[in-house]
């Protein structure tokens, strides 16, 4: 007997989880198929939520548009799951000489004045002192905990099938999509960098960049975020995450050279008493205009996409998922429709 749903979602990273959760809150029947063996970049991610980011102290419009909604979304989940998923941490951004000049320039600009600290102060790691600015509006999402809670929530509601789906197993009818005993009005792909494996999206112009991230234990640590060319953020079980490297590499395994690069960065910052727990790799899915994509394909109207969040998924995915779920299947943000990505 066929199980009928309004929406079938492929992938259960931060994008698939937020969209499935938001659709269900709107009374839209949803089922998820998620691979139990493919790497999940959303679990590996640091989960940093901050307005100012990057070596150029950028304030991206996309982040500004969704920052407050993301924080509210996670705080609501704190109440739903009765466990702290998001926490606020003091953040020390270490600046080199060129960044100090950039900071001084941006402090005088109206767009940045509300968010950039006005004072530069020494910040010490062990015996090494750096020049830094302190941010108070930085949050960290416990990414592994969040996705585990979402997984349990979906299983309890009989919404989740753990299975590595192949393209030939989906059947597209005029008004529906079928897979085994499941039929749905729409299928939405939330598979991140694995989008390249699907011929449906072969004409999409995207770049998958790889990042390696360390999980480590610090001795006598303070619960704070530290940023330079890399970032250090608290994680679960009294561990910290430190990353990330950046390269164009399709391999799934971490590289020894990246391990040494990350350890060298820790040493330069002044950390000398730490133990490495493990290293993991994640791939960021990025479209040519650095914006995510949401909506349906014009060629197959029952096939949708909610992907391309790159390194900002924990900020943008919750807000965009809620927006889409309120008007589903319609979409209000026309600038993110997938037809803009059909570039050869």
């Amino acid at each position: 007997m066929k199980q009928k749903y309004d929406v079938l979602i492929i992938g259960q990273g931060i994008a698939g989880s937020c969209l499935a959760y938001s659709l269900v809150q709107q009374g839209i029947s949803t089922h998820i198929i998620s691979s139990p063996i493919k790497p999940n970049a959303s679990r590996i991610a640091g989960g940093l939520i901050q307005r100012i980011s990057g070596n150029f102290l950028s304030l991206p419009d996309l982040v500004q548009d969704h920052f407050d909604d993301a924080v509210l979304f996670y705080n609501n989940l704190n109440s739903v799951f009765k466990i702290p998923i998001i926490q606020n941490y003091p953040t020390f951004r270490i600046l080199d000489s060129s960044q100090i000049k950039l900071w001084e320039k941006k402090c005088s600009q109206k767009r940045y004045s509300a968010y950039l600290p006005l004072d530069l102060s020494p910040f010490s790691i062990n015996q090494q002192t750096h020049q830094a600015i302190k941010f108070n509006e930085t949050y960290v999402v416990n990414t592994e905990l969040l996705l585990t809670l979402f997984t349990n929530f979906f299983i309890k509601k009989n919404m989740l099938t753990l299975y590595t789906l192949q393209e030939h197993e989906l059947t597209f009818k005029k008004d529906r999509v079928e897979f085994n005993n499941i039929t749905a009005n729409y299928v939405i792909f939330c598979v991140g960098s694995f989008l390249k494996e699907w011929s449906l999206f072969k004409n999409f112009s995207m770049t998958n960049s790889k990042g390696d991230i360390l999980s480590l234990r610090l001795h006598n640590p303070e619960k704070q975020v530290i940023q330079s060319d890399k970032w250090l953020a608290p994680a679960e079980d009294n561990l910290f995450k430190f990353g990330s490297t950046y390269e164009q590499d399709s391999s799934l395994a971490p590289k020894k050279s990246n391990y040494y690069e990350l350890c060298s960065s820790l040493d330069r910052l002044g950390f000398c008493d730490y133990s490495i727990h493990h290293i993991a790799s994640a791939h960021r899915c990025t479209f040519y205009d650095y914006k995510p994509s949401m909506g349906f394909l014009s060629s197959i109207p029952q096939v949708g996409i909610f992907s391309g969040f790159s390194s900002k998924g924990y900020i943008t995915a919750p807000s965009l998922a809620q927006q889409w779920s309120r008007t589903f299947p319609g979409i209000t943000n026309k600038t993110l429709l997938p037809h803009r990505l059909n570039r050869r």
Side-chain angles (χ1 to χ4, degrees):
M1 184 176 177
K2 290 284 187 183
Q3 301 175 37
K4 297 182 178 180
Y5 300 96
D6 295 317
V7 180
L8 177 63
I9 288 177
I10 313 299
Q12 198 234 315
I14 187 59
S17 294
C18 288
L19 185 58
Y21 183 81
S22 299
L23 289 170
V24 168
Q25 301 307 303
Q26 296 296 325
I28 298 169
S29 62
T30 305
H31 195 81
I32 308 163
I33 298 176
S34 181
S35 172
I37 59 173
K38 289 186 176 181
N40 190 329
S42 296
R43 282 186 177 271
I44 298 167
L48 280 173
I49 297 182
Q50 53 188 169
R51 296 185 190 273
I52 301 283
S53 62
N55 291 331
F56 298 101
L57 304 178
S58 302
L59 184 61
D61 289 336
L62 193 65
V63 169
Q64 279 293 86
D65 291 344
H66 302 293
F67 185 94
D68 292 330
D69 286 344
V71 173
L72 180 60
F73 179 83
Y74 295 121
N75 278 323
N76 287 339
L77 290 181
N78 284 352
S79 300
V80 171
F81 293 126
K82 296 180 172 53
I83 191 169
I85 294 163
I86 184 173
Q87 296 189 65
N88 177 237
Y89 291 103
T91 298
F92 295 90
R93 172 78 203 199
I94 296 170
L95 304 180
D96 60 26
S97 57
S98 62
Q99 289 171 327
I100 290 175
K101 292 179 181 178
L102 182 63
W103 163 72
E104 291 172 340
K105 180 180 179 180
K106 289 193 171 185
C107 276
S108 63
Q109 298 176 14
K110 185 176 180 181
R111 173 174 169 79
Y112 290 89
S113 59
Y115 305 112
L116 275 176
L118 297 178
D119 297 317
L120 187 69
S121 58
F123 174 72
S124 296
I125 301 173
N126 294 323
Q127 301 301 313
Q128 191 158 331
T129 300
H130 308 271
Q131 293 299 309
I133 50 178
K134 182 181 178 181
F135 293 100
N136 293 313
E137 196 182 18
T138 295
Y139 300 86
V140 177
V141 174
N142 188 329
T143 59
E144 296 186 55
L145 173 63
L146 173 62
L147 292 179
T148 297
L149 291 169
F150 267 138
T151 296
N152 295 337
F153 174 86
F154 296 140
I155 289 174
K156 187 176 181 180
K157 291 188 172 294
N158 199 29
M159 289 175 56
L160 176 62
T161 297
L162 295 175
Y163 181 76
T164 304
L165 184 68
Q166 303 296 318
E167 186 165 1
H168 69 269
E169 296 177 289
L170 281 179
T171 302
F172 300 101
K173 303 289 186 179
K174 184 177 180 180
D175 58 348
R176 65 190 185 279
V177 178
E178 295 180 351
F179 163 69
N180 286 349
N181 65 332
I182 294 174
T183 181
N185 296 330
Y186 303 97
V187 59
I188 300 176
F189 287 82
C190 307
V191 295
S193 63
F194 292 105
L195 207 63
K196 280 194 169 185
E197 296 181 355
W198 294 80
S199 65
L200 292 164
F201 309 102
K202 64 182 179 181
N203 292 330
F204 282 29
S205 180
M206 68 182 84
T207 301
N208 292 336
S209 59
K210 177 183 176 182
D212 287 355
I213 295 175
L214 290 177
S215 287
L216 56 95
R217 196 176 301 280
L218 299 174
H219 300 282
N220 301 316
E222 291 188 45
K223 291 288 187 177
Q224 58 193 13
V225 174
I226 300 172
Q227 292 179 290
S228 55
D229 60 328
K230 306 286 192 295
W231 47 260
L232 178 79
E236 61 181 356
D237 298 328
N238 293 316
L239 293 173
F240 284 75
K241 290 183 179 181
F242 184 71
S244 163
T245 58
Y246 185 96
E247 61 184 332
Q248 303 299 320
D249 179 14
S250 60
S251 65
L252 298 178
K255 282 187 175 180
K256 185 178 291 188
S257 59
N258 289 340
Y259 174 87
Y260 290 132
E261 177 187 335
L262 291 167
C263 290
S264 178
S265 293
L266 282 168
D267 295 341
R268 285 197 303 272
L269 287 170
F271 290 104
C272 54
D273 195 8
Y274 60 86
S275 55
I276 305 297
H277 191 263
H278 69 270
I279 182 171
S281 289
H283 285 81
R284 314 168 186 91
C285 178
T286 307
F287 294 121
Y288 73 92
D289 59 359
Y290 297 97
K291 293 180 180 180
S293 182
M294 55 190 287
F296 296 97
L297 303 184
S298 56
S299 56
I300 313 177
Q302 67 269 41
V303 175
I305 181 175
F306 190 60
S307 192
F309 293 92
S310 192
S311 61
K312 306 299 183 187
Y314 276 91
I315 301 174
T316 53
S319 176
L320 290 172
Q322 290 181 301
Q323 287 180 23
W324 199 4
S325 68
R326 294 185 192 111
T327 59
F328 193 87
I331 186 168
T332 56
N333 195 334
K334 305 297 185 183
T335 64
L336 301 182
L337 285 170
H339 62 67
R340 82 186 199 285
L341 303 174
N342 293 332
R343 292 173 27 134
R344 293 182 181 272

